[in-house]
């Protein structure tokens, strides 16, 4: 069964960056691609029509939250997440592993799975590899993720090895649980910041018939240099002809660095989460719209951006909305940030095809490191 195809269209001699086309059950995705996070089957406050206008083509949904509310029975009754939220593009679901990692005082990890109490009604749940896959089948995502044990990337070698080995056993169980489902399934490489464990994890999981692979266990405590080094090392260990996904990363400069190191897929809550706090990404660096400096500014957030927010609203108005915690401010800044992310991905892809990505990479990372508030 051909659940997912991945065709590389362009590669480079001086970078690990590549451009490809990934065919899923709900359409073709051009990579590198950024997936907005729709935790509760919605990207905070944005309709699917608005998402499409920002350039969003593939979304991430959260198995842990959706199993608790509305529950897999709702997806079974209504025909999956695409019909439920009226989204006709591809969806990737995470397995719930990271959310369980984020509940250190209210969960227990065993060979069987992860036991935790629901934040909705206090009931005790067991999320096993089989249950995670069953929920993701009900959701009907195009790409499912195996259940893994996520630990801090700064964990000792013995702890990292134990978690990695459990992740491998859960991965095999996840594959078996998928059965004849047409949904793709990605394995997750673990091993914290230990080269020997990363190599062992890649060797073990690449021997299993996954449709793609994720670099897991990063952005959970390590330094920026460590994250970049282990991203590059892990990507080099993965099959060239399959998609590579860096989970939960990150800022625009993090994404640029990871593309340079061979990553194809990204997701992160930052475009929306930072917008809620008044932070926006622009062609001249980040801006904090809460600053009094923008109280009387008639300028657009970014003069180089043609999104609805930049075309129709001034910095003064957005400053006012942010300072008064008006929901509209969060929404307008979220729209701008998503457009910024998707435009960045389009630029990256274009420069890969043109063969000058490395020059673009060196220039762009200097710009992305700037604080536009200093202009």
């Amino acid at each position: 069964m051909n659940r997912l195809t991945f065709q590389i269209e362009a590669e480079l001699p001086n970078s690990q960056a590549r451009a490809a086309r990934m065919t899923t059950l709900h359409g073709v995705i051009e990579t590198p691609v950024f997936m907005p996070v729709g935790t509760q089957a919605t990207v905070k406050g944005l309709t699917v029509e608005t998402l499409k206008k920002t350039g969003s083509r593939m979304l991430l949904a959260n198995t842990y939250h959706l199993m608790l509310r509305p529950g897999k029975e709702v997806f079974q009754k209504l025909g999956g997440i695409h019909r439920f939220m009226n989204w006709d593009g591809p969806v990737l679901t995470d397995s719930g592993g990271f959310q369980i990692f984020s509940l250190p005082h209210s969960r227990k990890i065993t060979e069987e799975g992860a036991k935790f109490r629901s934040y909705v009604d206090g009931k005790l749940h067991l999320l096993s590899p089989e249950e995670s896959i069953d929920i993701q089948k009900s959701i009907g995502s195009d790409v499912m993720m195996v259940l893994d044990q996520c630990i801090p990337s700064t964990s000792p070698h013995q702890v990292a090895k134990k978690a990695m080995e459990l992740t491998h056993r859960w991965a095999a169980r996840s594959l078996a649980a998928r059965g004849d489902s047409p949904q793709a399934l990605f394995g997750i490489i673990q091993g914290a910041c230990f080269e020997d464990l990363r190599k062992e994890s890649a060797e073990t999981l690449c021997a299993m018939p996954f449709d793609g692979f994720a670099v897991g266990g990063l952005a959970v405590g390590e330094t920026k240099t460590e994250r970049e080094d282990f991203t590059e090392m892990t990507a080099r260990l993965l099959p060239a002809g399959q998609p590579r996904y860096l989970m939960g990363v990150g800022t625009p400069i993090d994404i640029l660095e990871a593309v340079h190191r061979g990553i194809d897929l990204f997701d992160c809550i930052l475009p929306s989460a930072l917008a809620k706090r008044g932070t926006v990404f622009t062609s001249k660096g980040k801006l904090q719209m809460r600053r009094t400096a923008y109280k009387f500014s008639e300028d657009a957030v970014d003069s180089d951006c043609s999104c609805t927010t930049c075309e129709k609203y001034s910095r003064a108005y957005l400053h006012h909305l942010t300072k008064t915690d008006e929901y509209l401010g969060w929404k307008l800044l979220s729209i701008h940030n998503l457009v910024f992310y998707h435009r960045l991905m389009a630029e990256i892809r274009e420069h890969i095809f043109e063969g000058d990505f490395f020059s673009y990479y060196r220039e762009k990372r200097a710009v992305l490191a700037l604080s536009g508030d200093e202009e």
Side-chain angles (χ1 to χ4, degrees):
M1 184 185 299
N2 195 6
R3 295 178 169 93
L4 180 149
T5 61
F6 187 76
Q7 179 183 0
I8 297 175
E9 298 177 294
E11 295 179 285
L12 301 165
N14 54 358
S15 172
Q16 296 302 305
R18 72 252 190 97
R21 288 170 64 84
M22 184 174 74
T23 303
T24 72
L25 296 172
H26 287 85
V28 176
I29 294 297
E30 295 179 340
T31 70
V33 66
F34 176 79
M35 300 177 286
V37 176
T39 302
Q40 306 274 13
T42 173
V43 178
K44 299 295 184 185
L46 303 182
T47 65
V48 295
E49 292 80 14
T50 299
L51 282 171
K52 289 179 179 179
K53 288 179 181 178
T54 68
S56 301
R57 296 293 176 264
M58 183 173 184
L59 305 180
L60 179 141
N62 190 286
T63 298
Y64 167 79
H65 290 289
L66 295 178
M67 72 175 281
L68 297 178
R69 192 165 46 197
K72 68 179 181 181
E73 298 80 9
V74 171
F75 291 106
Q76 290 168 345
K77 172 72 173 177
L78 298 180
I81 194 169
H82 294 87
R83 185 178 173 197
F84 185 58
M85 66 179 292
N86 197 33
W87 173 259
D88 58 6
V91 173
L92 180 148
T93 42
D94 63 14
S95 64
F98 178 77
Q99 284 68 39
I100 291 167
F101 159 75
S102 302
L103 303 169
H105 303 298
S106 56
R107 48 87 167 153
K108 181 179 180 181
I109 305 296
T110 67
E111 187 70 35
E112 189 178 9
K115 292 182 179 179
F116 64 93
R117 290 201 175 275
S118 166
Y119 64 84
V120 176
D121 56 15
K123 290 182 180 178
L124 189 64
H125 290 264
L126 170 66
L127 184 62
S128 65
E130 292 80 10
E131 179 65 10
S132 175
I133 293 298
D134 190 53
I135 295 165
Q136 292 181 77
K137 283 182 178 180
S138 300
I139 293 171
S141 54
D142 298 75
V143 178
M144 303 185 291
M145 302 301 299
V146 300
L147 184 64
D148 64 326
Q149 184 182 5
C150 184
I151 61 172
S153 54
T154 54
S155 298
H157 189 279
Q158 183 178 359
V159 173
K161 181 175 176 64
K162 183 178 179 181
M164 177 197 71
E165 290 172 344
L166 180 61
T167 292
H168 294 169
R169 295 192 294 274
W170 282 0
R173 288 166 59 186
S174 297
L175 269 172
R178 175 175 63 172
D180 60 0
S181 168
Q183 295 159 269
L185 180 62
F186 283 14
I188 303 176
I189 310 300
Q190 290 288 357
C193 291
F194 298 101
E195 188 172 339
D196 64 320
L197 296 184
R198 290 278 169 181
K199 289 180 178 177
E200 181 181 347
S201 188
E203 182 178 346
T204 301
L205 294 180
C206 288
M208 301 182 190
F210 288 111
D211 304 291
F213 296 92
V215 179
L218 294 178
V220 282
E222 76 284 352
T223 66
K224 182 176 186 295
T225 299
E226 287 174 327
R227 180 166 62 253
E228 291 168 0
D229 289 347
F230 278 93
T231 295
E232 181 170 9
M233 189 208 80
T234 306
R236 289 180 181 272
L237 297 171
L238 300 177
Q242 290 181 284
R244 304 164 183 163
Y245 166 34
L246 182 58
M247 306 179 74
V249 176
T251 65
I253 195 168
D254 287 337
I255 290 174
L256 179 70
E257 295 286 3
V259 169
H260 176 51
R261 289 161 173 81
I263 300 298
D264 309 298
L265 285 77
F266 302 88
D267 81 279
C268 195
I269 64 169
L270 283 181
S272 178
L274 290 182
K276 187 176 184 180
R277 293 183 240 161
T279 300
V280 287
F281 297 97
T282 78
S283 57
K284 295 181 174 63
K286 282 194 298 185
L287 301 180
Q288 173 46 255
M289 298 312 299
R290 289 184 178 273
R291 293 185 69 234
T292 306
Y294 304 123
K295 186 173 183 177
F296 299 100
S297 176
E298 297 184 55
D299 295 336
V301 167
D302 189 348
S303 59
D304 291 333
C305 180
S306 59
C307 76
T308 301
T309 303
C310 290
E311 284 192 338
K312 296 186 176 181
Y313 302 100
S314 68
R315 291 183 181 185
Y317 183 57
L318 295 166
H319 165 78
H320 163 71
L321 293 177
T322 303
K323 289 287 284 186
T324 53
D325 293 322
E326 284 291 340
Y327 167 73
L328 179 59
W330 180 12
K331 178 177 179 177
L332 292 174
L333 296 185
S334 293
I335 289 171
H336 169 78
N337 279 345
L338 283 174
V339 169
F340 182 90
Y341 268 69
H342 294 314
R343 187 172 67 175
L344 175 66
M345 305 314 291
E347 286 180 1
I348 288 172
R349 183 174 162 85
E350 179 183 348
H351 284 283
I352 293 173
F353 275 108
E354 291 178 354
D356 63 352
F357 170 78
F358 189 65
S359 297
Y360 167 83
Y361 156 75
R362 288 188 297 182
E363 295 172 5
K364 193 69 175 180
R365 65 178 177 174
V367 173
L368 292 175
L370 294 174
S371 172
D373 286 325
E374 298 171 359
E375 63 181 0

